[in-house]
Amino acid sequence: GSPFVCYVVAPHLYPSRAARAFAWVFCTPLDYNGACSAWAVSTHQIEACVEPGPARTRVLVHTIVYCALVEAVDLEPCESDACLLNNCDTVDEAEANGLLLCPACLRKLQRMGVAADVPACVARARAVLARHGLL
């Protein structure tokens, strides 16, 4: 498909305090012909609402991986509460969501040919998350 870009935007780039309150995640075409879309992820609300350390890193990781799976891999948001792809509109919801996909979303990845060996894929994801204290 088309290229995928995810920008992480620092809060100091927002010109006013009012603009910062609305900074979360959005998707926009990168160019005028729509050949590429880009997600912009602002760290402002994460920095304002989540304690520094692993909790803050966890929410940022969740948000970026969510954007990548929805946009680049073309997975749909999920209704399973524990799934990383459960749609979230606030930092509180992002904190509550898991960092792993539910079995249904993993099966979708397998059927798409993205993850041939699902158990090994889950084991690798768990190992990386555990190594960084995010599980």
Side-chain angles (χ1 to χ4, degrees), residues 106 109-118 121:
L106 287 167
L109 283 180
Q110 186 180 34
R111 292 186 55 117
M112 296 167 91
V114 175
D117 185 350
V118 171
C121 182

Side-chain angles (χ1 to χ4, degrees), residues 37-127:
S37 46
W39 287 75
V41 178
S42 168
T43 60
H44 171 71
Q45 285 184 321
I46 295 169
E47 290 177 8
C49 300
V50 183
E51 291 296 318
R56 187 177 288 175
T57 302
R58 186 183 181 287
V59 173
L60 183 60
V61 166
H62 171 270
T63 305
I64 292 171
V65 174
Y66 176 92
C67 293
L69 289 173
V70 169
E71 185 65 30
V73 181
D74 205 25
L75 286 175
E76 295 289 325
C78 179
E79 295 299 320
S80 175
D81 286 337
C83 187
L84 180 138
L85 286 176
N86 186 291
N87 190 36
C88 60
D89 298 317
T90 67
V91 173
D92 289 340
E93 288 178 355
E95 283 184 292
N97 284 3
L99 288 179
L100 296 170
L101 296 175
C102 70
C105 288
L106 287 167
R107 178 68 175 136
K108 289 175 190 176
L109 283 180
Q110 186 180 34
R111 292 186 55 117
M112 296 167 91
V114 175
D117 185 350
V118 171
C121 182
V122 171
R124 285 191 307 271
R126 283 187 181 282

Side-chain angles (χ1 to χ4, degrees), residues 3 12 16 22 26 57 82 94 103-104 106 120:
H12 69 276
S16 71
F22 298 106
F26 59 93
T57 302
L106 287 167

